[in-house]
Amino acid sequence: ATEKANLTGSGSGVVWNDQGYIVTNMHVVDTRAGSVVTLSDGSVWEALLVGFEPSLDLAVLAIEASAEQLTPACLGNSSELLVGQDAYAIGTPFGLEWTLTAGVISGLNRRIRGYDEVEIGGMIQTDAAINPGNSGGALLDSRGRFVGLITAIHGSSETNAGVGFAIPVDRVV
């Protein structure tokens, strides 16, 4: 799912289940005006913020789409990740919807400054290209399993420097 917030910008999201729950990052959700979710079939939905955890930059949205319109992510196990294994990032960099980039798991258990300058530990590092708009998107393993929620990039220019970070799916659960 592509999640677009009205005032804070745009980002991405992951369909969590067939009841319409979408996981994304807190920093792409507009808590004042609400958010809009566009599914891969092109349908657009008003989203309700149903949960959040600022210390992880994590938010859960709900939309009223039918189960037939939703394809929940297949969950992987982030505790089994190894440095060097293939990684794929799916998101909406620079508004380019449903973009896939490839790389590897570059590091594990990284500590970063996240949403609202909160320090987040245990992050996955990847060199798959991550840019503004990828936030809230899926980091996948080579079997297409959701292993991390893309959250941040490292670099002063706010564009890909080959160092991106994702919240491990085990923590998202």
Side-chain angles (χ1 to χ4, degrees):
T2 301
E3 191 277 324
K4 295 182 180 175
N6 295 333
L7 296 175
T8 54
S10 67
S12 303
V14 178
V15 176
W16 188 256
N17 61 29
D18 64 5
Q19 284 98 43
Y21 286 91
I22 310 290
V23 294
T24 189
N25 288 129
M26 187 78 187
H27 76 262
V28 299
V29 173
D30 189 334
T31 57
R32 295 167 289 173
S35 296
V36 175
V37 171
T38 303
L39 297 177
S40 60
D41 66 4
S43 62
V44 178
W45 301 88
E46 291 292 324
L48 177 66
L49 178 64
V50 295
F52 57 92
E53 178 52 63
S55 69
L56 288 177
D57 192 6
L58 185 63
V60 179
L61 302 172
I63 61 173
E64 293 185 8
S66 68
E68 293 78 32
Q69 290 177 282
L70 300 167
T71 305
C74 177
L75 299 185
N77 186 340
S78 53
S79 66
E80 295 176 358
L81 292 175
L82 299 172
V83 171
Q85 78 180 76
D86 292 336
Y88 302 91
I90 296 180
T92 309
F94 305 111
L96 301 168
E97 296 174 331
W98 304 289
T99 297
L100 173 74
T101 59
V104 297
I105 301 297
S106 304
L108 298 167
N109 297 312
R110 301 295 195 210
R111 183 169 294 281
I112 65 164
R113 289 223 178 269
Y115 175 71
D116 215 15
E117 294 300 311
V118 173
E119 199 168 282
I120 306 172
M123 299 291 280
I124 300 166
Q125 180 185 337
T126 183
D127 69 348
I130 294 173
N131 288 289
N134 276 104
S135 293
L139 185 68
L140 306 173
D141 66 13
S142 60
R143 293 184 179 165
R145 296 177 299 192
F146 175 43
V147 295
L149 188 74
I150 299 166
T151 302
I153 55 178
H154 179 73
S156 59
S157 66
E158 294 301 315
T159 59
N160 178 49
V163 182
F165 300 96
I167 302 166
V169 73
D170 297 356
R171 293 189 74 191
V172 174
V173 170

